[in-house]
Amino acid sequence: MSTLTRSDGVAGGALAGAVGLLVATLAWLLSGPPLERTARGLAFLLLFLPVVLLALPGWRRAAEQAACRAAFRWLAGVGLIGVMAMERLARGESAHLPAIALYVLAVLTLSAPSRRHPRPRWADLPLVLLLWLPIELKWVTGDFVLLRMLGLDLLLLLYMLERPIFDLGALIPVRRREWTVGLAAWAAFLVVSIPLALATGFAAPGVSDRTGGGWALFLFSTLIVIALPEEALFRGAMQGLLARAGASTWLAVGLASVLFGLSHLNNGPPDWRYVLLATIAGIAYGEAFRRSGNLAAPTLTHFLVDVTWRGFFAGGG
């Protein structure tokens, strides 16, 4: 059994410290009482650290070995509920806690039999939907940012540690191929989407009026709260499960993209232009995932697409 080496510990500590400093800086930009901002920042840090550390090979191997023990998932679940409880109690909103705890325990209970099936099956798709729908449809309420991180942590436990179907890889693309694939997918999407969005009146050129601090929060949240969790869910889990369960490449990309497009129906009043553009974006992300073999390239593409639309096409419908 391998253990964490000294270099793993140093790398993990340095990365955790850097992320902690970044989160503390961004938490300072938030509004609200100091106790609430501190609790929210600390909760986000504790929920985000597993994502960061699992990107390091040594930490990932250690976590995979720990996940082989039956008690690990339940201890992890209790820890996640505890982090959410800390933030809720600091805000005086404990009424949300029973639903959050039920969500975590339901996911862990219903996924337990699947641990005996190392190969993904079509039956896994409803489980992935269980991970996503309660948060997306606001059946579980609370701080949406933290709930996104909670869902991502559960997803990584089930499909990266216990039954690995994808590799998180680096949080940002570090290889030339990841940049090439990610940028090419972004450019291809813009070639198709900009004329379509302008023709349908969905969007119009217009630079966002965010301040410097607003841009910092926007860029960080777009990458960490939107792009990474959604790519882990729709590409890593959904597309990856479909492909490994025997679906053809285009069926896996297409079905994951359609589901991704439909997930945008509840982003304000239903707008089928938005669904269509999101579905096309999903195809670009899916191709980036298929060509690169990890989440770094589609996460980059997703990040650039969202920054382009929300930052520089702020006009229109």
Side-chain angles (χ1 to χ4, degrees):
M1 178 180 294
S2 65
T3 57
L4 289 173
T5 65
R6 183 175 180 179
S7 61
D8 291 330
V10 171
L15 191 55
V19 172
L21 181 61
L22 176 61
V23 171
T25 302
L26 292 171
W28 179 77
L29 295 172
L30 298 174
S31 59
L35 178 60
E36 292 184 9
R37 283 186 291 163
T38 301
R40 190 185 187 198
L42 181 58
F44 183 88
L45 177 62
L46 293 174
L47 293 172
F48 185 49
L49 274 181
V51 183
V52 174
L53 294 177
L54 287 175
L56 301 175
W59 286 84
R60 185 173 66 249
R61 287 192 297 269
E64 288 171 349
Q65 291 171 353
C68 293
R69 301 181 177 91
F72 178 81
R73 60 179 11 234
W74 301 106
L75 291 173
V78 170
L80 292 173
I81 294 171
V83 171
M84 298 297 293
M86 174 196 68
E87 186 271 341
R88 290 288 89 190
L89 292 173
R91 295 171 67 96
E93 298 177 0
S94 58
H96 296 139
L97 285 177
I100 293 173
L102 180 61
Y103 164 71
V104 173
L105 295 176
V107 168
L108 294 179
T109 300
L110 295 175
S111 64
S114 68
R115 300 180 72 201
R116 297 192 293 269
H117 300 276
R119 181 177 176 81
R121 303 164 299 153
W122 284 90
D124 279 278
L125 192 56
L127 178 59
V128 175
L129 294 176
L130 173 64
L131 276 165
W132 162 53
L133 285 176
I135 295 176
E136 187 68 26
L137 299 180
K138 297 180 175 57
W139 297 339
V140 179
T141 54
D143 188 302
F144 186 70
V145 169
L146 298 184
L147 288 172
R148 276 286 183 110
M149 289 294 103
L150 174 67
L152 178 58
D153 284 346
L154 289 171
L155 182 72
L156 296 179
L157 171 65
L158 300 184
Y159 292 113
M160 185 174 177
L161 298 181
E162 292 185 346
R163 301 168 63 210
I165 64 166
F166 65 89
D167 185 354
L168 181 67
L171 293 182
I172 59 174
V174 295
R175 298 180 302 176
R176 178 182 299 178
R177 177 166 178 77
E178 292 163 354
W179 278 98
T180 301
V181 171
L183 290 172
W186 171 59
F189 170 71
L190 293 185
V191 167
V192 175
S193 63
I194 289 178
L196 182 59
L198 296 178
T200 59
F202 176 76
V207 178
S208 169
D209 60 357
R210 292 178 176 86
T211 62
W215 269 101
L217 285 171
F218 167 63
L219 294 174
F220 181 80
S221 62
T222 298
L223 177 62
I224 303 303
V225 180
I226 298 176
L228 180 59
E230 291 185 358
E231 290 314 296
L233 173 68
F234 288 98
R235 255 54 65 181
M238 289 189 184
Q239 184 175 322
L241 281 170
L242 291 167
R244 294 201 178 195
S248 67
T249 298
W250 284 109
L251 178 60
V253 172
L255 184 54
S257 300
V258 169
L259 290 172
F260 177 72
L262 292 174
S263 74
H264 291 73
L265 270 176
N266 67 329
N267 292 14
D271 189 334
W272 287 100
R273 298 172 300 175
Y274 195 8
V275 172
L276 175 60
L277 287 166
T279 300
I280 296 172
I283 294 173
Y285 307 155
E287 269 297 283
F289 178 65
R290 185 183 70 82
R291 291 178 180 274
S292 66
N294 64 33
L295 292 177
T299 298
L300 171 65
T301 305
H302 196 149
F303 170 75
L304 292 174
V305 166
D306 280 10
V307 169
T308 300
W309 286 115
R310 299 182 185 186
F312 302 98
F313 284 84

